[in-house]
Amino acid sequence: MTADAGATRWHQFKPVIQVASGNFLEMYDFFVFAYYAAAIGRAFFPSHDAFASLMLSLATFGVGFLMRPLGALVLGAYIDHHGRRAGLLLTLGLMAVGTVSVAVTPGYATLGIAAPLIVLAGRLMQGFSAGAELGGVSVYLAEIATPGHKGFYVSWQSASQQVAVIVAALLGVALQQELTPAQMDDWGWRLPLLLGCLIIPILFLLRSGLQETAEFATRKKRTASLSDVWRSVAANWPIVLVGAMLVTMTTVSFYLITAYTPTFGKETLKLDAMAALIVTLLVGVSNLFWLPVMGALSDRIGRRPLLIGFTLLALVTAYPVMLWLTAAPSFERLLAVELWLSFIYGSYNGAMVVYLTELMPADVRSAGFSLAYSLATAIFGGFTPAICTWLIHVTDNKAMPGVWLSCAALMGLIAAVLAERVGTAAANSRPEAMGAELSARRAS
């Protein structure tokens, strides 16, 4: 490769790094909060009952997911109306405020009731911004992609999340080796959050250099107001619903193999906590490999073959591999199962995210994408750890997470089969399509 060719490729790929960097912060903060939920609970929600303290912390974590649909509607509409660049700077700013509020707020012992209220407000703001962050990043990448490489470009939205998983897991391993449990409870849990604060200026510097996408800048017809965006999203509700079903497979598998793995490995399988963190780290590396590879493959063979093929593969294998794991739990078996599920997740999601950007109408692409993604995450994905724990408890079957993943795969399979039909029907029902059809009839 010549120097000029290398410079050209870097110039083409540089915006991918700029836009995906903020997506890293969003996922990094969510994972750090989940990893250290117990210590955060004791700092901000002290109680004589350790379970109550943990549940209050996890409830605060969950509120962030419930805020995502609202953020998708409000901020997604803002992005569709004011532009991709302006919206992505806004979501990064809101995320930054939320990250700082959790990292630097003194505990309950110092501030009293104000401490958990500040943390709760920060989590609400983070969830609100995350509701449009994923959609904004995905749409931006889809619109700047070079011809024939849209799947590869958009896959870096999810790939940047895997970097967050890797970094959070590495920090977890390092802190467990260097600090005592008492130190972790007292102040150690703040270190990963403070690191997130330190990189915020770098992320702003990267994103401030973004240019508006040419597709948005040259669009002749734009929505006149935010209310117009919301009306258009409501008119396209079948596409949003199918999109949410497509995302369900992604979000359930992702939170199953990342956020739930440390808890599942330690509490259910009774493995060493360090072993579970190492598995999570390797899953992040595996995801980071498969996502761009399969995104690029979808550019060559199409999106639907991957969507249908890997939902079927999940349906056939998810529960059997979990049965195999729980029959004789070990680090090796946990790693093998998680890497297999990582392969399924990365292959499916590498095609799904770009397909969802293509499915949404151009005038509500960010809002529609964000709402579909946020609904699936709020209802199914974010609560996957809790649902899996409950299923194991009520059935006394440690392999039940495989059943939950199979249900998500079935939903994804149905959506993949119906998506094109629903998209075509919605396109034909839009006023401009109806007007074109009426003109054609008159001409004939």
Side-chain angles (χ1 to χ4, degrees), residues 21-180:
S21 60
N23 204 33
F24 164 89
L25 177 65
E26 181 252 322
M27 190 53 60
Y28 172 82
D29 191 74
F30 266 77
F31 269 93
V32 167
F33 196 104
Y35 287 168
Y36 304 106
I40 292 172
R42 286 186 283 272
F44 294 106
F45 308 97
S47 172
H48 297 297
D49 185 346
F51 176 75
S53 176
L54 175 60
M55 287 306 295
L56 284 170
S57 177
L58 290 175
T60 304
F61 174 74
V63 164
F65 290 100
L66 296 178
M67 284 294 291
R68 287 190 177 201
L70 179 60
L73 282 173
V74 176
L75 297 178
Y78 179 92
I79 294 172
D80 282 324
H81 179 63
H82 291 284
R84 315 309 188 199
R85 180 183 181 276
L88 288 171
L89 287 172
L90 176 60
T91 58
L92 180 58
L94 293 174
M95 277 192 295
V97 172
T99 298
V100 172
S101 69
V102 179
V104 305
T105 299
Y108 188 92
T110 302
L111 291 185
I113 191 63
L117 290 178
I118 292 172
V119 170
L120 177 61
R123 294 302 300 167
L124 290 172
M125 189 170 296
Q126 285 175 323
F128 184 74
S129 65
E133 170 71 12
L134 292 177
V137 170
S138 299
V139 169
Y140 188 94
L141 292 173
E143 292 183 353
I144 67 167
T146 55
H149 300 96
K150 187 181 290 187
F152 175 74
Y153 270 67
V154 177
S155 69
W156 287 97
Q157 179 264 103
S158 298
S160 67
Q161 296 178 4
Q162 312 316 311
V163 177
V165 173
I166 294 169
V167 172
L170 280 173
L171 282 171
V173 171
L175 290 173
Q176 285 213 358
Q177 290 181 328
E178 298 297 328
L179 301 179
T180 66

Side-chain angles (χ1 to χ4, degrees), residues 9 12-13 16 141-142 145-159 288-300 303 349-351 353-354 358:
R9 289 198 175 185
Q12 291 174 336
F13 198 72
V16 175
L141 292 173
T146 55
H149 300 96
K150 187 181 290 187
F152 175 74
Y153 270 67
V154 177
S155 69
W156 287 97
Q157 179 264 103
S158 298
L288 181 59
F289 173 79
W290 288 116
L291 283 162
V293 168
M294 291 305 185
L297 182 61
S298 76
D299 288 324
R300 292 181 175 272
R303 325 298 184 199
N349 197 53
V353 177
V354 64
E358 294 166 340

Side-chain angles (χ1 to χ4, degrees), residues 42-353:
R42 286 186 283 272
F44 294 106
F45 308 97
S47 172
H48 297 297
D49 185 346
F51 176 75
S53 176
L54 175 60
M55 287 306 295
L56 284 170
S57 177
L58 290 175
T60 304
F61 174 74
V63 164
F65 290 100
L66 296 178
M67 284 294 291
R68 287 190 177 201
L70 179 60
L73 282 173
V74 176
L75 297 178
Y78 179 92
I79 294 172
D80 282 324
H81 179 63
H82 291 284
R84 315 309 188 199
R85 180 183 181 276
L88 288 171
L89 287 172
L90 176 60
T91 58
L92 180 58
L94 293 174
M95 277 192 295
V97 172
T99 298
V100 172
S101 69
V102 179
V104 305
T105 299
Y108 188 92
T110 302
L111 291 185
I113 191 63
L117 290 178
I118 292 172
V119 170
L120 177 61
R123 294 302 300 167
L124 290 172
M125 189 170 296
Q126 285 175 323
F128 184 74
S129 65
E133 170 71 12
L134 292 177
V137 170
S138 299
V139 169
Y140 188 94
L141 292 173
E143 292 183 353
I144 67 167
T146 55
H149 300 96
K150 187 181 290 187
F152 175 74
Y153 270 67
V154 177
S155 69
W156 287 97
Q157 179 264 103
S158 298
S160 67
Q161 296 178 4
Q162 312 316 311
V163 177
V165 173
I166 294 169
V167 172
L170 280 173
L171 282 171
V173 171
L175 290 173
Q176 285 213 358
Q177 290 181 328
E178 298 297 328
L179 301 179
T180 66
Q183 289 174 321
M184 283 300 303
D185 263 5
D186 187 23
W187 52 268
W189 60 269
R190 290 187 185 269
L191 294 179
L193 291 169
L194 290 171
L195 177 62
C197 294
L198 291 176
I199 65 174
I200 286 173
I202 300 173
L203 300 181
F204 267 108
L205 182 63
L206 287 171
R207 273 211 177 165
S208 63
L210 285 175
Q211 301 296 317
E212 185 57 77
T213 69
E215 181 175 335
F216 183 87
T218 59
R219 188 180 302 163
K220 294 181 180 179
K221 180 181 178 182
R222 300 185 189 178
T223 50
S225 65
L226 299 185
S227 60
D228 290 336
V229 177
W230 295 331
R231 278 193 292 269
S232 185
V233 168
N236 289 284
W237 69 265
I239 300 179
V240 173
L241 178 60
V242 168
M245 293 172 65
L246 284 169
V247 175
T248 297
M249 166 65 181
T250 275
T251 189
V252 167
S253 58
F254 177 70
Y255 284 101
L256 179 64
I257 64 177
T258 54
Y260 185 54
T261 293
T263 300
F264 183 64
K266 181 181 177 181
E267 303 297 333
T268 303
L269 302 181
K270 306 303 179 184
L271 299 177
D272 180 67
M274 180 70 75
L277 275 174
I278 291 173
V279 170
T280 305
L281 168 63
L282 295 176
V283 164
V285 174
S286 173
N287 291 344
L288 181 59
F289 173 79
W290 288 116
L291 283 162
V293 168
M294 291 305 185
L297 182 61
S298 76
D299 288 324
R300 292 181 175 272
I301 69 172
R303 325 298 184 199
R304 295 180 78 241
L306 293 177
L307 298 179
I308 294 173
F310 282 94
T311 49
L312 286 171
L313 198 58
L315 275 170
V316 172
T317 65
Y319 185 63
V321 298
M322 280 292 180
L323 279 176
W324 177 72
L325 168 61
T326 56
S330 67
F331 169 79
E332 292 78 12
R333 288 199 176 198
L334 177 62
L335 179 60
V337 168
E338 296 286 357
L339 290 180
W340 172 249
L341 296 180
S342 166
F343 169 61
I344 292 176
Y345 157 77
S347 302
Y348 176 86
N349 197 53
M352 189 283 297
V353 177

